[in-house]
Amino acid sequence: MSTSDLHKNVKEYYGKILKTQDDLQTSVCTTGTAPPDNVKEILKSLQSEVVEKYYGCGSIFGTHLKGLKVLDLGCGSGRDCYVFSKLVGETGEVYGLDMTTEQIEVAKKHIGFHTNLFGYSTPNVHFVQGYIEDLDQAGLPDDYFDLIISNCVINLSPKKEEVLRQAFKKLKVGGEMYFSDIYSDRRVPEVLRNDPVLWGECISGALYWFDFQTLWKKAGFSDCRTVSIKEIGVSSPVLREVINKISPKIRFFSAEVRLWKVPELEPYCEDYGQAVMFIGKSEASTSINLKEFRLDAKHKFELGKVVPVCGNTFTLLSLPRFNNDFLFFQNEPLQHYGIFPDCGVSFPLPEKSSDSTSAASSCCG
């Protein structure tokens, strides 16, 4: 299908066919990972229409968010935008972009409700109608956002490389793109890609994992961290039969990843004999009683424990957003000890399906 046909089909599917999550034919576009407790409390308070029209597959709520400028690609009814509106505080900003008129109208309709709910004098959330492949046309500034999020939307785009390239442009240096999406263990055959229901259900637009590895590097990002990954099934017998007739062994999985715009990062995880200790002293940590800081699936830092890290992890934790919560240890001058132990390159999904936040076998997988 052409780009215009795909856009038309997605708009039809999410604007007119789907009314609530109950109308989905599979569980692919539903969140399997429970959000953190502070986010659960926010979700309970959101306007019900915003929550009912949410179609996401991940929990993309990190920490250390106060005062950040956030952009949500494919914001839909605005659920995640309103959660981030609370998390970034009145001094932060949240922009939501979506191409579907009906979804944007729902999101905009409830700005006043949530502004009052959070006790803000003026709204800190803004919604823009546009395409995630063309953020320039949407009028969004370059080098402006600290964080770009997306929840099970990039698979719906026919131009995934352009989505990543545009996102990179809009991020500040030091910023990140934290998003969840659907991937596959092989390229999806074209006949399945042309099925409008499979595409609308976030299945046939899934990106082959190793094509994704190529695309984020071409877009300019310097590091990719897998936060969680798990295999997903196609629950609809009718759709599963359609897939099995064409590609019976294809596997799909949902992954949450963090892409970083940090030029100092190296292509591999190098060992410089560095270490860090999570001390949890910042307001970002104390306000939610954070006892463990989780950067990704392979990097969990317990309070008060010294942990050896590769050079890239040391650099990420040194960013102003995080560095008040860590003590840093390194020799002067630095000495290079080669590649960091166990930092290989491997497919992140285990041979046997499991819900694996520890599936990535490399240091920074």
Side-chain angles (χ1 to χ4, degrees), residues 63-65 281-290 321 325:
T63 60
H64 300 76
L65 300 169
K281 295 293 187 182
S282 75
E283 182 186 352
S285 293
T286 57
S287 63
I288 57 173
N289 196 28
L290 199 63
R321 183 175 158 196
D325 268 330

Side-chain angles (χ1 to χ4, degrees), residues 60-70 84 87-88 145-149 171-178 227 258-262 278 281-285 290 293-295 315-326 328:
I60 49 174
F61 307 105
T63 60
H64 300 76
L65 300 169
K66 190 172 183 180
L68 297 192
K69 294 180 175 67
V70 179
F84 274 92
L87 294 174
V88 302
F145 296 98
D146 303 289
L147 173 64
I148 293 179
I149 61 170
L171 279 174
K172 295 177 182 177
V173 172
E176 70 161 318
M177 185 176 182
Y178 190 165
V227 177
R258 306 177 81 165
L259 300 177
W260 296 91
K261 185 176 179 177
V262 180
F278 176 56
K281 295 293 187 182
S282 75
E283 182 186 352
S285 293
L290 199 63
F293 177 84
R294 186 179 179 213
L295 181 64
T315 298
L316 290 176
L317 298 177
S318 300
L319 292 171
R321 183 175 158 196
F322 306 118
N323 64 12
N324 287 333
D325 268 330
F326 286 88
F328 298 89

Side-chain angles (χ1 to χ4, degrees), residues 42-61:
I42 299 171
L43 288 171
K44 291 176 184 177
S45 67
L46 298 186
Q47 211 284 333
S48 59
E49 185 181 22
V50 166
V51 177
E52 290 167 0
K53 290 181 175 292
Y54 160 77
Y55 313 106
C57 60
S59 178
I60 49 174
F61 307 105

Side-chain angles (χ1 to χ4, degrees), residues 199-254:
W199 192 278
E201 290 282 330
C202 302
I203 298 168
S204 61
L207 188 60
Y208 170 48
W209 180 258
F210 287 106
D211 283 343
F212 169 60
Q213 302 305 308
T214 299
L215 293 186
W216 67 256
K217 294 170 187 174
K218 287 177 66 176
F221 290 98
S222 46
D223 199 356
C224 175
R225 301 296 180 98
T226 303
V227 177
S228 70
I229 187 166
K230 65 177 181 178
E231 186 166 3
I232 53 175
V234 179
S235 54
S236 165
V238 174
L239 295 183
R240 185 69 255 181
E241 184 178 357
V242 171
I243 295 169
N244 286 345
K245 285 180 178 178
I246 306 300
S247 185
K249 293 187 177 181
I250 193 168
R251 299 164 71 195
F252 298 96
F253 58 100
S254 171

